[in-house]
Each structure stands twice: as C-alpha cells, then as structure tokens.
Amino acid sequence: MDMVTEGSVYLYEALDKKVYFKEATILVPSHWKSKNVTKARTESFEKAKIRIDNANSTYGDQPYTKQYGECGTMAEYIHFTPEYLLNDAVIQLYGLRGRVFVHEWAHLRWGVYDEYNKEKPFYHSNGRIEATRCSKNIEGQFYEVTAGGSLQPCHIDPQTSLPTDKCKFFPDRNQNTNSSLMSLPSLDSVSTFCRKNEHNNKAPNLQNEKCDNKATWTVIFEDSVDKDALQTLKPLESPPPPPSFKVVQRAQRVVCLILDVSGSMEGARILQQRQAATHFLRYIIEDQASVGIVTFSTSASTLRSLTIIDSDITRETLVQLLPKRASGSTNMCLGLSQGLHVLQKDNGDVLGDEIIFLTDGQATDNIAGCAPSAIQSGAIISTIAFSNSAAQALTEMADKTGGIFFIAKDDMISNQLMDAFASLTLSTGDYTNEPVQLESVGARTSDWFNGTVSVDQTVGNKTSFVIIYEIRFPSIYIQSPSGSIYTQTNMSHDGLLKTVTLNIPGTAEPGDWKYSIQTTSNQAFTITVTSQAAHDDVPPIIVKTHMNQQFSDGTKPMTVFAEVSQNYRPVINAEVWATLESETGSEHTLQLLDNGAGADAFQGDGIYSRYFTKIVNGRNSLKVRVKNQGGQTRFAVQKNSGAPYVPGYVVNGVVQLNPPKPPVSEEPLEVGNFTRTATGESFVVKLSGTTPPNFPPNRITDLSAEIQEDTVLLSWTAPGEDLDQGTAKSYEIRWSFDLDMLRNSFSNGHVVNTAAVSPHEAGSVEQHSFNLSFPIQNGTTLFFAVQSEDEQNAKSETSNIAQASKILHGPKPPGVSNPGMNLTVLVISVCVVIMVICFIVAVTAWAVRRRNRFV
C-alpha cells in the first residue's frame, strides 16, 4: 500500500500535476482469514493489472511488465513478488518502490518502453562512445567490477569498439536533470519522463526501436489511451489526497446456464448442447461453485435452482437434468429474465454472477429491448451463438458485461461447442487446480481415426478422454506410453449421449498416448482430452489466445496472439497453429511465430503472433493448437524489460557498490513432448466493402547495420506481400547522416541501389551489403532505413532506424578511464476527473505465509 501511495505522488509530479491514483482494490486468495476483507464477484485474477505472485524464474524478484503490443498500447499486467514488497534491501537494487511503480505503470497504461538497454548499454555517436540512457545529461563513471569487488578501468572490445560486457555505469547520486523515469527511476532528481527537446533518439533502446524514436512524453500525450484527456486536463491546484484501499476476496463462482430448447434446436443441436454442457459440468466448473439451469422456448423454465458443486454425485445430478427435447418459439427475453431470477436467490442481487447463454436462432421476442436491462444488472453474460443465424445481440451482451462471446458451428467435426464450454473458466491464479485442454479434434471417416496426445510432466491428474460419435458405437483403443491398452471395457458408454469416456485413474503416465477409433459406418467423431496439474506445487504449461480486436472494420490489421507459458516462464520454439473460421464456413490456418518480426513484438518471449489478412464479414472463431516442435521446445531465459538494476552510485566522487543482483535461472531448460489446444473469444468483422482490404507489407522492425571497412552490411526479417504473409515485390533502402531527416522525410535520404535485391518469403532473413560512393571516415555514424512495396505498389511504413559507426583503433585496444574518453554518460478501470486512476491488485495464494503485512 505504501508503494501505491508513494507512486501516486510521483505520478502527480511526473505528468504536470494532472494524474494521481484515487483508489486500489486488492484481491487476496479466497482462504485468507481477515475481518477487513469484503467478498466480491466482480474482481478476478485475469482482470487484475497488478499481480503479486510467486517469482518468474527469469526475473526473480525484479519487477516487470508483461508487454507485447504496439507502442502506445496498454500492456497486460505488472508482476511484483512478495519478497520485493517486503524486503527493503531491494530499494538499493532498484530504487524507491513508488518510483519503480510509476516506471512499470507507464509500461502498463501508456505502452512506453525502457530507455536503458542491458544488452546494448553503449553505442557510438559522432565518433564518441555514449551510454544508452535518457536524458544524455545524466552523469556518472564507468568501471569494471572484479570478482573480488574492486574497481578497475573498463576495456574496449576490439570487435565492437565498445566497452566490454563487464563495464558498468555508476550514476552520480546527485544529478542536475529530472529525466527520465523510464531510464533511471532510482535517482532522487529524476521525477518525470523524457520530453521531445531532451529525448535521446539515437540510443539503442526499446523506446526508440518500438516507438519510432519518439520521446516517452510524446507517446503518453499523443498516442496512449489517455491522450485526449491528458491534453485537455488542467493541473490540480493542490496536492492530491492519498489513495484509498479496499481488500476483497473473490466469492465462490455462481453460474446459471440458460439453454435454448426452441424447435430449431431439435435433433442434432439439442444433443450437441447436452454433450457440451455435460462436459462443462463434469470437468470444467470448479468445486464449490453454484450452478443453476434454465431453459427457454415459448416459455422459460427453471430445471435446477442454484446448487453447490460439492461432489461427483451433484455433478451427475445436474447432468441428468439437461434438456433432451426441443420445441416452440425462441423467447430469449423470458430466458434472460428467468436466469437473472435464479441468480438473485443466493444473496438478493446478481452483481458478478455469471450467465452462460446459448441460442441457435433469432429471437421471437424483442431481444434488443430486454438486453439493456440484462446488461445493466451487473451479471457477467457469456454468450454462445450456435449457428450463423443466432441473434446479433449476443455479441453486445458479452462485450458490455465482461463476458466472452463464442460462435459454434453445428457441424460436429469442428468440436466448437465443446471448446466454447471448455473455455468458460474463471482463473484464480492457481493453475494447479484448473482444467487444461490437451486435445480437441474431429474427423469424418468410415475406417480408422487415429491420433497422439502428449501428456507432459506438468499434467496428468484427472485426465479424461471423451469421444463423441455421430451414428454408431465404434471400436476404441487407447494405448498408454508404456503399452497398456484401454478398450471399451475400461470406458463408460452413454448411448443416449453418444459419448464414450475414459477417466485415467490416479496420475496419467507421462509420454505419448495413442488413440485409434474404428468404424464401418461413414460418421463423424470428436475427441476431447482434458487434464490437470500432476503436482500441487508445479503449475502446468498453459496456452492463452486472443485477437488484438474483437470488432474490426478492416481499417487496422488484425493480429492473432497465443501465449505459451508455465508459471510465468515463456515456452519457446513450440509449433503453434491458429485456425480462424467464419460463420459462413471460410477457414484459414496460420502458423504463429515468435521471431520478433512482423506482428511479433519480441523474439523468444513465448508470445506467438501473426497478422490475419483474410478477413471476411461476419462472426469468426479462433482456435489454437500447440505442440513440441521436434524436441526443440525450451523455457526461455530472455528478459525484455524490468525495473533497471543499478550496480552502485557515485557519492562525492567515490563509487559505492550496491549488493549484487540476486542470480536467476539462465539455463534454457528443455520441455518434454506436450500438446495443448485453446479457444479464443470469437470476433466480428464488418467491412465497408465486399472484399478484404489490401494491406501493404508489414513494417520492418529489426533492421540492423554494420560497417566493415567501407562496406555496409544490413540485415532484417523479410516482410510479406500482405503484412507478414507472402513475398514483397521490392525494397527501397535509404541512408543519411541525420537520423531525424531519415525518420521524418524518408524520401529525402540517399538511395541505395537495390536492383540485385530480390525479396524472400516473409519471415526469411534478408542481408544486403554495399559500398557507398565515398570512403567512410573513421568516427562516422550513418543511419539506415527500409521501405518495402507489394504488387499493388502499396508501400510499408518506414522501418526502424538502424545506425552504424566506423571506428578504427590502433593495434592495442584502449581502455576507458574516467573522464578519459570524454564519455557523455549516461483489474483496471480509469476514472478521468483530473485523471483519477483506480485499479485492481491481485495477490495469489503463494504469498499467504506473509499475508498480514499486505492487509
């Protein structure tokens, strides 16, 4: 709480006295005991933008923000650990917590990036060595720290002509500059963000790379989600009050299934609804949740009032109540009203309670008239459109209540209805108790339907194989990794539900499980495999997927994201495929990439991305499949950001060393064979025309340059004909002595002859070397940029600006002295009143041992 209070003061000072934190809601684990905790259902772990949780092994206790969107786009969350918040020794490493909080908040809220760079701490500029920072007015000294803790002058790497990796910058404790919080927030004098007039646009940091060399102040005031408010608000006349705090616990989940039983649902649809709802009740909804069941057609009926899930017997009781027949009209308003009435029975209101609303058609009554009252009720409404004719109001209800919207074809092979119900989970942050979908696939055959599901070491408990058949009971064989064969005698068969289930006793054996299904009739099959964590202290590998837009008019590119992780650790080198299908049946499959090019922000961060260019009008579904890629999958050790660690300070001319940063895992651990599937929220496309827009090649974001004698070598990742797909037609390369000129007026740069450069397929590594028309003098720094063009002559945005310097030394590389080489040193809701900010902090159960110091 002290961190937030301090952060509010620093934020107020940093942005012209226009912004402060008004209140914070702290979400603590459900089993904590405290008289001051309020029960609530509107907050959840997934909505929280600040997480207090066990450490990410890559970062240790270093605060960081999960960020992978475009510059100016809100990030996912800030991650603090209990040790960081409770151990005051970290203040020496990173600075005051309030300042660090503002540093991370700027990542989270305004989408700015770091102005320091651990990987590139130095660079050449106009014949001098500069340190990567903002502003350039920050002063200090450079030394190498020996293993014994003594200081010695830095040395120059002859390959790069820059200081070696052992060289560290020690800033003066007292500075004459007040920026920047994105560079060195630990300095007492630093109180604001770099503005345009002091921005170090040549520094090789992520802020310049991702934000087109713009100052952080410029991004916050001109590109962020708060740009309009910040430009119009007037400063407060007096300091703001301290934030208020509310500590809440997530109350047990309360859900009402509202199911369509109108005439159009009769036959295969009512059966599929029963199959999917059965799977939800048996394997997805958590213990101690309350569930009610309502049906609607010409009238509405309550099949079961709210019932606590306290045993498998209770689950089966609810399963047996699911509707089996359908007839009548589609009075959706009656269903909504009845469902809300059921939810009110537990505590008198429906705030934070959930509705799962499924229908296959248009409303007989006026759904547009009753939807607003349902939206305003406070319930979270997730909707499933079970056919392409389902009412459009379903999308609006989900969007405006914080629910999830799915479309599901009634084509059995897609398994979309099962996937939709399986995705209706509510995470507490403890993934060891939550279901994980390992497989979901369908096929039509009159012979064999075979496949393999990999059960890795992180899962295995409560493993179930659910096979659904269309016509006749098939022969089923499931083989464990050690060779044990399971047949129908080991499985349960429900002939009315046309479902065969194998529940693996205990913990499923890790390895490849093989299934074979044989039929002599031409029929459809699906298989869904679900499991949970094998150990209560080892979270499973999980996959989350989403689009960057839930509604698109085609003016901005759509991007598919899939995050693969285990206990915050990114899983890299996996094979990730996304299937996007329109409600009219148009299907596209994309391989998602983690290569740091095109739609992907960072290479090796476990976020796999791709642009989706084949958009069509209507509602569309998203499904992702992930598996180990030939044994190459690893846990990543790379970090893309984080609160800057300071090795020490210069006080009265003497370097005072800070304690060394605690070591973290740097060994890329192998991941065994695994499979996962995940379903993202469906999205809606409404194009102004009848055909998809023609997108130009994507912006190149990883251009690099090197000068070897008088030869320039450029490298980049190839864009596509349409964003990051296909092959571009041509490249235009230009250079300049002036970065700003090249950035602001690309066409005025000097042209490089690219007649011999033929673009390769998107994602390929491109290299081009050339000589300029004059000898490059020692100490010269040049800047380079690239544009690409497609067959319709549409040009990409200008690439990132790459810079290279020619530095020649004598036979003995010099050292760096001080001053020597004259180194110029280096869950959230927003209420805009005077930019008053309110947010949710989630504390996970891992912090229980020291909980009294949080609340």
Side-chain angles (χ1 to χ4, degrees), residues 277-541:
T278 295
H279 186 71
F280 175 79
L281 293 171
R282 283 179 177 166
Y283 303 109
I284 305 303
I285 189 69
E286 59 269 32
D287 290 338
Q288 300 306 312
S290 296
V291 178
I293 304 174
V294 166
T295 60
F296 67 92
S297 57
T298 304
S299 60
S301 302
T302 300
L303 302 188
R304 185 74 174 197
S305 58
L306 291 175
T307 302
I308 297 176
I309 305 292
D310 55 6
S311 66
D312 288 341
I313 294 175
T314 302
R315 292 178 185 271
E316 289 305 313
T317 299
L318 292 171
V319 166
Q320 296 305 315
L321 291 171
L322 291 171
K324 302 176 178 64
R325 302 301 302 270
S327 63
S329 56
T330 311
N331 288 316
M332 296 186 189
C333 291
L334 292 179
L336 277 173
S337 176
Q338 189 75 8
L340 291 169
H341 178 71
V342 167
L343 291 175
Q344 286 176 335
K345 291 291 186 177
D346 66 335
N347 63 356
D349 67 49
V350 301
L351 184 65
D353 294 345
E354 296 175 68
I355 287 174
I356 298 175
F357 188 93
L358 183 150
T359 184
D360 74 334
Q362 295 292 329
T364 305
D365 51 4
N366 182 19
I367 183 65
C370 67
S373 61
I375 291 170
Q376 294 167 10
S377 70
I380 300 168
I381 306 175
S382 293
T383 57
I384 303 173
F386 190 27
S387 79
N388 58 8
S389 62
Q392 298 297 321
L394 300 184
T395 309
E396 180 185 13
M397 286 194 294
D399 177 57
K400 291 186 176 180
T401 64
I404 307 174
F405 167 68
F406 295 103
I407 63 167
K409 291 170 52 179
D410 55 7
D411 173 16
M412 177 179 165
I413 295 174
S414 71
N415 213 28
Q416 287 179 348
L417 194 59
M418 287 280 284
D419 292 338
F421 271 95
S423 301
L424 292 167
T425 60
L426 185 68
S427 178
T428 63
D430 182 6
Y431 294 107
T432 60
N433 290 318
E434 298 175 12
V436 178
Q437 192 175 75
L438 308 187
E439 180 64 287
S440 168
V441 67
R444 177 174 294 278
T445 183
S446 57
D447 195 2
W448 287 94
F449 174 34
N450 304 314
T452 301
V453 180
S454 296
V455 176
D456 57 280
Q457 299 278 358
T458 68
V459 294
N461 284 345
K462 299 184 180 180
T463 302
S464 65
F465 290 74
V466 177
I467 296 98
I468 296 175
Y469 60 91
E470 183 181 21
I471 301 172
R472 295 180 181 173
F473 182 37
S475 298
I476 302 173
Y477 309 90
I478 297 177
Q479 180 178 315
S480 73
S482 61
S484 298
I485 303 294
Y486 296 86
T487 63
Q488 288 94 323
T489 58
N490 309 107
M491 306 174 191
S492 60
H493 175 220
D494 187 330
L496 295 177
L497 207 57
K498 295 184 178 179
T499 300
V500 183
T501 304
L502 172 63
N503 292 316
I504 306 298
T507 302
E509 180 184 349
D512 290 343
W513 288 71
K514 299 180 180 179
Y515 60 86
S516 298
I517 303 171
Q518 184 184 32
T519 179
T520 57
S521 302
N522 185 11
Q523 61 176 323
F525 296 97
T526 65
I527 181 167
T528 305
V529 184
T530 307
S531 188
Q532 288 193 20
H535 309 282
D536 59 8
D537 59 347
V538 181
I541 295 172

Side-chain angles (χ1 to χ4, degrees), residues 243-278:
S244 61
F245 297 90
K246 180 172 65 173
V247 181
V248 302
Q249 286 177 323
R250 173 73 195 187
Q252 292 295 343
R253 195 175 179 191
V254 178
V255 181
C256 184
L257 302 179
I258 303 180
L259 306 176
D260 189 346
V261 292
S262 62
S264 57
M265 288 287 293
E266 181 62 18
R269 288 182 180 175
I270 196 73
L271 176 59
Q272 288 184 52
Q273 179 176 258
R274 282 180 59 213
Q275 292 165 342
T278 295

Side-chain angles (χ1 to χ4, degrees), residues 735-753:
W735 68 271
S736 175
F737 292 106
D738 185 342
L739 183 150
D740 288 329
M741 190 279 291
L742 197 60
R743 171 177 170 254
N744 298 323
S745 184
F746 175 79
S747 60
N748 288 330
H750 301 285
V751 177
V752 174
N753 186 348

Side-chain angles (χ1 to χ4, degrees), residues 5 55 78 108 111 125 179 202 215 219 272 309 321 357 450 531 581 592 690 692-693 711 756 822:
T5 302
I78 301 171
L108 174 74
S125 179
S179 63
K202 297 181 177 66
V219 173
Q272 288 184 52
I309 305 292
L321 291 171
F357 188 93
N450 304 314
S531 188
E581 187 173 358
L592 307 187
T690 57
T711 299
N822 190 27

Side-chain angles (χ1 to χ4, degrees), residues 654-765:
V654 178
V655 173
Q656 296 181 355
L657 293 176
N658 282 333
K661 185 179 175 183
V664 295
S665 172
E666 294 187 356
E667 184 67 26
L669 302 175
E670 293 187 11
V671 180
N673 284 350
F674 74 94
T675 54
R676 296 288 188 274
T677 62
T679 299
E681 184 172 4
S682 299
F683 58 97
V684 178
V685 175
K686 191 172 183 180
L687 302 174
S688 56
T690 57
T691 59
N694 172 49
F695 290 109
N698 66 264
R699 177 179 183 255
I700 295 168
T701 58
D702 61 350
L703 179 67
S704 63
E706 183 180 349
I707 296 177
Q708 299 175 350
E709 296 183 352
D710 284 332
T711 299
V712 177
L713 175 63
L714 300 182
S715 299
W716 66 93
T717 301
E721 166 76 8
D722 295 306
L723 296 174
D724 59 0
Q725 291 157 58
T727 304
K729 182 182 71 172
S730 62
Y731 294 122
E732 182 178 353
I733 302 174
R734 292 181 181 267
W735 68 271
S736 175
F737 292 106
D738 185 342
L739 183 150
D740 288 329
M741 190 279 291
L742 197 60
R743 171 177 170 254
N744 298 323
S745 184
F746 175 79
S747 60
N748 288 330
H750 301 285
V751 177
V752 174
N753 186 348
T754 58
V757 181
S758 180
H760 293 85
E761 186 179 1
S764 303
V765 176

